[in-house]
Amino acid sequence: HGPVLRGAVQALFEKREMKWRLQGKGRASFLVDASSGIVLYEPEQPRDSKVTVASSLSGEELPIKLWSNVTKGQSNHGKPLDPETKAASKLLKKSFSEKRNEEKALKRALSASAGEAEREKEEEESVLKKAISLSVLDSKAEIEEEETLRQAMALSAQEFKMVEDEEGALLKAIEMSREANRT
């Protein structure tokens, strides 16, 4: 990829009319004067479509007494405000009120979300405890079944041994009877 990339970079430097030269072993790197050349495309200025600028008035910039008067619709000297300042004041009041309402709604949503998360966590813990209890019960039932099966196998082995012993005794009696009949 080196020769292809080198050619593309070189073409860009030439297009931007930059001062540059190849250097290094095999002329594999560039030495470029970054302040030379022209800008091909002007960078787009950042825009914030969510901000509306109403006026230069804000609560942080005004003294508290003056801000209080502005929000009441009076100047600092008790005279009514001009229509433009009054409109700005109304807009600011509305903006602050909307912000306060949004903050309250956000707090309610966060509170509800926290409550919901706590309920879900408690529900999950309850389900987990039930699952563990059922698992323990299943284990106990399996152990009891295994014990019953072992006992049944032991009884069966004993019965088999008894039957085997009885058959052995019967065969021995038959053989003794045959020997007695021969003599």
Side-chain angles (χ1 to χ4, degrees):
H1 297 293
V4 174
L5 185 58
R6 187 177 330 132
V9 171
Q10 183 177 345
L12 178 64
F13 291 153
E14 289 171 356
K15 186 174 186 178
R16 289 193 57 201
E17 301 173 9
M18 297 180 81
K19 295 178 185 174
W20 61 274
R21 69 175 181 191
L22 288 170
Q23 68 175 24
K25 287 185 177 179
R27 301 171 44 96
S29 62
F30 292 94
L31 179 64
V32 181
D33 180 1
S35 63
S36 67
I38 60 171
V39 175
L40 295 178
Y41 303 104
E42 288 297 323
E44 191 174 311
Q45 296 300 316
R47 288 182 282 147
D48 189 351
S49 61
K50 296 184 180 190
V51 175
T52 305
V53 178
S55 102
S56 64
L57 295 176
S58 77
E60 292 86 26
E61 296 174 2
L62 297 174
I64 292 174
K65 183 171 179 16
L66 179 59
W67 178 249
S68 172
N69 289 339
V70 166
T71 58
K72 290 178 184 172
Q74 299 176 351
S75 72
N76 201 25
H77 306 289
K79 298 176 186 172
L81 295 173
D82 63 7
E84 185 179 322
T85 307
K86 215 175 212 179
S89 174
K90 283 183 180 180
L91 184 61
L92 283 173
K93 277 178 147 179
K94 182 180 178 185
S95 172
F96 288 134
S97 175
E98 288 174 356
K99 183 178 179 185
R100 197 175 318 118
N101 290 340
E102 287 175 2
E103 287 173 353
K104 286 179 184 177
L106 179 62
K107 284 180 183 176
R108 281 193 305 267
L110 288 173
S111 176
S113 177
E116 178 85 17
E118 185 64 28
R119 279 191 299 278
E120 286 179 4
K121 181 179 176 185
E122 288 172 0
E123 187 177 312
E124 286 177 3
E125 287 175 357
S126 174
V127 167
L128 181 61
K129 286 178 183 177
K130 286 179 184 177
I132 290 171
S133 295
L134 289 174
S135 177
V136 168
L137 288 175
D138 284 347
S139 292
K140 286 181 181 177
E142 285 179 19
I143 290 171
E144 288 175 1
E145 286 177 13
E146 286 177 7
E147 185 59 32
T148 303
L149 186 59
R150 275 193 214 112
Q151 289 174 355
M153 289 174 65
L155 283 174
S156 177
Q158 285 176 353
E159 287 178 7
F160 180 77
K161 181 79 169 145
M162 287 173 51
V163 168
E164 202 174 60
D165 288 346
E166 287 176 1
E167 285 179 358
L170 186 61
L171 286 175
K172 196 173 191 182
I174 292 173
E175 195 171 310
M176 286 171 69
S177 169
R178 284 188 189 159
E179 281 184 17
N181 284 340
R182 284 191 205 155
T183 34

